[in-house]
Amino acid sequence: DDKNYAIRPSIFSAVVLTSSFTILQHAAQHVHGKLFGLHAGRFGPLVAAAGLLSVSGTLIGSQLIEKLSIQAVESFYPRELKFSLLFADLRTKMKSTTSSETNSPILVSIRQLLVGLSMYCITEKGYFKSAFPSSITSLGAFAVFKHWNSIPTLDPIATAAQRSTIQSIGRRIGCHHCGSRRSISELGNGFIADHMPPTKIALELRQKWYNKLFHRKIEQRLWPQCQSCFRKQGPAVRKGSLELIYHLRPRLYLLAPATAMFLCANNEFMEVVDRIARPIADFVDEADKQLKLFYEIERKKKFK
């Protein structure tokens, strides 16, 4: 019975989950940017909600690719061989008398999805902003915790002390648009102290009637920016065009699906997750049954 599953983490599964999740994340960025014009600098709640859905989709996609990869490996090797570490079957049949309800494939997937989302949110720290490309004229995908990682400013030119602080912040979080931490060594120039919003845009915003009416202050803050993004920003600001930066940097949040797999292999941890995962799995199972029943009734009506 293939409805009973046990979690047995493996190096192979972890590599497949991480690589497929990284590729799907990058592909999703292009879909968001090129088809919908969405970027990390849009309205915060919209970005968070859309990012949550996007990351959920890429997590589920990476689980599916991992499962298909396991099946492909099994087709080339006899099932009786035990690849205890490298090719351990993540969804091997359980030998215990545990019922299929206890470890259904839907429940296993929902567990890993919930834990994966939690790990992504914890390690990314940006409310799913990194699921989107960065606009070169607004806050980037890596602009998180502004009070820790940026400096308030009233002047159009950063002081020497501010530039020095920006170098330290840049080494910690990288360029706020693309995430690069290498700018510190590029020709000895270091990170640019990037005014956000750009001075030209900030002046325009201050002249808007609704900002004047409600006495809304347009605060500028300095963020670390790499030389490459700096060269793209000037022309985009002058033209008023939307220039998107697609980022693909090694980050901890890309390990979210693999981390979820290993965590869900722990029985004690799994019991805690099941308090949330099991009701969702039961709802999905029931919805699936009702949908199948509906289609079966409709099919019989057509043949009458």
Side-chain angles (χ1 to χ4, degrees):
D1 181 4
D2 285 337
K3 292 182 179 180
N4 241 346
Y5 294 96
I7 297 293
R8 281 194 2 200
S10 71
I11 294 174
F12 175 76
S13 295
V15 170
V16 173
L17 283 168
T18 302
S19 57
S20 60
F21 182 65
T22 301
I23 293 170
L24 290 173
Q25 279 284 96
H26 193 55
Q29 280 186 50
H30 285 269
V31 172
H32 297 320
K34 293 179 180 178
L35 293 185
F36 303 108
L38 287 174
H39 57 78
R42 295 288 189 190
F43 181 57
L46 172 64
V47 169
L52 174 62
L53 292 175
S54 176
V55 174
S56 298
T58 52
L59 282 169
I60 293 172
S62 64
Q63 287 183 31
L64 178 61
I65 292 172
E66 182 268 340
K67 182 179 179 180
L68 294 174
S69 299
I70 288 288
Q71 292 174 351
V73 170
E74 288 181 340
S75 67
F76 286 102
Y77 293 95
R79 182 175 284 272
E80 59 270 15
L81 291 179
K82 297 183 182 299
F83 305 99
S84 59
L85 180 62
L86 185 59
F87 290 119
D89 185 355
L90 182 63
R91 293 177 174 80
T92 188
K93 294 180 183 178
M94 294 181 69
K95 294 182 179 180
S96 68
T97 57
T98 306
S99 66
S100 61
E101 184 181 359
T102 301
N103 271 307
S104 68
I106 291 178
L107 179 57
V108 170
S109 296
I110 290 175
R111 281 175 188 154
Q112 293 192 56
L113 174 61
L114 292 177
V115 178
L117 284 172
S118 300
M119 295 307 302
Y120 187 98
C121 191
I122 291 170
T123 53
E124 185 238 10
K125 306 173 184 175
Y127 303 104
F128 303 102
K129 286 172 63 175
S130 61
F132 301 93
S134 299
S135 168
I136 201 69
T137 57
S138 63
L139 281 176
F142 300 95
V144 296
F145 299 128
K146 70 176 185 179
H147 294 294
W148 294 349
N149 297 322
S150 67
I151 309 169
T153 183
L154 298 174
D155 301 316
I157 300 176
T159 65
Q162 288 174 331
R163 289 196 296 270
S164 177
T165 303
I166 285 296
Q167 304 310 310
S168 299
I169 297 174
R171 287 192 290 270
R172 185 168 65 246
I173 69 169
C175 170
H176 77 100
H177 284 124
C178 70
S180 173
R181 292 187 174 97
R182 295 181 300 174
S183 187
I184 195 67
S185 61
E186 287 184 4
L187 303 177
N189 292 325
F191 287 97
I192 301 297
D194 183 29
H195 286 74
M196 276 288 122
T199 300
K200 180 176 182 293
I201 295 176
L203 292 173
E204 293 173 353
L205 289 173
R206 288 169 184 150
Q207 297 304 313
K208 298 290 185 181
W209 66 268
Y210 46 83
N211 288 327
K212 288 183 176 181
L213 178 64
F214 295 102
H215 304 285
R216 184 187 172 204
K217 294 182 179 180
I218 305 300
E219 179 191 39
Q220 282 186 293
R221 300 187 72 91
L222 298 175
W223 291 86
Q225 184 184 53
C226 69
Q227 301 289 332
S228 176
C229 291
F230 170 70
R231 288 192 289 269
K232 297 175 183 177
Q233 189 179 63
V237 171
R238 287 192 294 272
K239 296 177 183 177
S241 59
L242 179 63
E243 176 79 21
L244 297 179
I245 304 297
Y246 297 94
H247 49 86
L248 185 62
R249 304 285 174 181
R251 295 277 172 163
L252 282 177
Y253 58 76
L254 295 176
L255 297 174
T259 305
M261 176 190 67
F262 284 106
L263 288 174
C264 288
N266 182 278
N267 290 330
E268 290 77 12
F269 184 83
M270 190 172 60
E271 289 176 1
V272 175
V273 176
D274 276 358
R275 296 174 187 174
I276 301 174
R278 192 173 295 280
I280 298 175
D282 292 341
F283 173 80
V284 173
D285 278 330
E286 183 61 28
D288 182 57
K289 291 176 183 177
Q290 293 298 326
L291 191 60
K292 288 179 180 178
L293 179 61
F294 172 77
Y295 280 119
E296 183 64 22
I297 294 173
E298 292 296 316
R299 188 181 66 82
K300 289 181 178 179
K301 286 181 180 180
K302 291 181 180 179
F303 286 99
K304 283 184 178 181

